[in-house]
Amino acid sequence: MRPILITLPVLLAACATSGMAEDKPPALTEKQQAALDKALEGKVAGKPRSCISLTQRADLQVISDDLLLYKAGRTVYLNRVNGRCNGLSFGGTLVTNVWGSQLCRGDIARVADLQVGMITGSCALGDFVSYTSPAK
C-alpha cells in the first residue's frame, strides 16, 4: 500500500504538467504563418467579439486545425478554436450548426471527411478578433 501512496502524487503532478503544455497552441508551419501574415497584412487588430453576423457573406480560410479566418468584406476575423478541429488543415470540411444569423463563441464545429463520409474531429469556436485596415 505504501508504494501506491508515493506514486500517486508523482502521477498527479505529471498529469498537471502535461495539461499545461496543451493549453499553448501549437506552432504554425512556415506555410501556415505565411498565409496568416498575408491575410492580415496592413490590418490592425480590434477587440475580440463573441459573435459575428452571417448576414454578410463570410469566406472561411483555414490556417491550421486550430486557427480560422473569416473574411467579411474588408474585415478579417481571426478565430482560435478551443480544442483542435483535427483533419481540417488536410482538406476536411468544417460543418457548423448555426442557430439564427450569427456564428458565436462556443458553437460546436465538426470536421467531415466527405470522401469517406465520417467525422474526423470537432472543436468549439473561440472569440472572433477583427482585423481592419487603419483609417487614413
Side-chain angles (χ1 to χ4, degrees), residues 27-38 63:
L28 297 176
T29 65
E30 278 186 43
K31 185 177 178 180
Q32 291 169 335
Q33 187 64 53
L36 179 61
D37 292 344
K38 182 178 179 182
I63 300 296

Side-chain angles (χ1 to χ4, degrees), residues 30-114:
E30 278 186 43
K31 185 177 178 180
Q32 291 169 335
Q33 187 64 53
L36 179 61
D37 292 344
K38 182 178 179 182
L40 300 181
E41 184 178 10
K43 298 190 182 304
V44 178
K47 293 182 181 179
R49 301 170 59 171
S50 58
C51 296
I52 59 171
S53 174
L54 291 177
T55 56
Q56 182 180 5
R57 181 177 171 191
D59 294 327
L60 173 65
Q61 180 181 357
V62 175
I63 300 296
S64 68
D65 285 350
D66 65 341
L67 191 61
L68 310 174
L69 296 179
Y70 289 91
K71 298 177 182 181
R74 293 183 176 154
T75 304
V76 176
Y77 296 97
L78 183 141
N79 191 286
R80 188 169 301 279
V81 301
N82 295 312
R84 291 186 54 122
C85 284
N86 290 327
L88 192 56
S89 58
F90 293 110
T93 301
L94 190 68
V95 179
T96 54
N97 293 337
V98 178
W99 309 105
S101 62
Q102 293 187 321
L103 200 54
C104 294
R105 175 185 61 228
D107 284 351
I108 302 297
R110 296 179 315 243
V111 180
D113 183 330
L114 299 180

